[in-house]
Amino acid sequence: MKRGIFLVGLFLTVVLSCKPQTNEAKDITVENLQVVLENEDNVQLLDVRTPQEWAEGVIKDPIKIDITGEDFEGKVLEKLDKTQPVYIYCRSGGRSKKATELLAKKGYKAYNVLGGILEWEEKNKE
């Protein structure tokens, strides 16, 4: 199973690296995010939910910036490395889609996690 996930991740990496690099918002499934988190170091995982939602649980150890809070763009510029991909999630995908589009316009390699933390929790039930 791990080998299959690794091969999917490897395939995804090869496909993405062969495309011309454009800064447009992209989507990623929770399965592919899991591969990224398992196989890459220093992943920029951005949780754009509210502090109340963070208290209910997060994926791994995210950077937390509330998209509805004050100075979202300023905090993004302060905390994120523009040279590295950013994987963005919220509760179900709406806010993260907006954040992904915004960051892509600012020059980030931004990926929206489809289905958000609800999909993550559904796929990762023990």
Side-chain angles (χ1 to χ4, degrees):
M1 179 69 177
K2 277 197 168 214
R3 183 171 185 233
I5 292 172
F6 176 74
L7 291 175
V8 168
L10 181 62
F11 175 76
L12 182 64
T13 301
V14 169
V15 168
L16 291 176
S17 65
C18 291
K19 288 184 177 181
Q21 297 298 316
T22 59
N23 288 329
E24 59 186 45
K26 298 177 181 83
D27 293 325
I28 186 171
T29 65
V30 294
E31 293 89 354
N32 286 337
L33 176 63
Q34 189 164 13
V35 171
V36 169
L37 293 174
E38 289 173 357
N39 294 296
E40 294 183 23
D41 295 326
N42 303 315
V43 173
Q44 292 190 113
L45 180 62
L46 176 60
D47 186 336
V48 295
R49 299 176 302 148
T50 65
Q52 294 82 9
E53 291 172 298
W54 299 330
E56 296 171 9
V58 296
I59 297 173
K60 203 172 175 186
D61 185 26
I63 299 164
K64 301 172 189 169
I65 306 175
D66 180 355
I67 191 168
T68 63
E70 258 183 58
D71 195 24
F72 175 75
E73 289 184 47
K75 290 176 183 174
V76 162
L77 291 172
E78 177 186 314
K79 294 184 177 186
L80 298 177
D81 179 354
K82 205 177 236 186
T83 66
Q84 298 298 317
V86 182
Y87 301 91
I88 306 165
Y89 75 94
C90 63
R91 182 176 177 272
S92 60
R95 290 171 286 175
S96 60
K97 183 70 170 174
K98 289 177 188 175
T100 302
E101 291 169 354
L102 176 68
L103 268 64
K105 286 179 185 173
K106 298 284 184 190
Y108 289 86
K109 297 173 214 155
Y111 295 87
N112 175 47
V113 179
L114 295 170
I117 197 165
L118 292 178
E119 184 74 10
W120 176 270
E121 289 171 344
E122 182 65 28
K123 299 287 183 184
N124 290 291
K125 283 185 178 176
E126 295 297 322

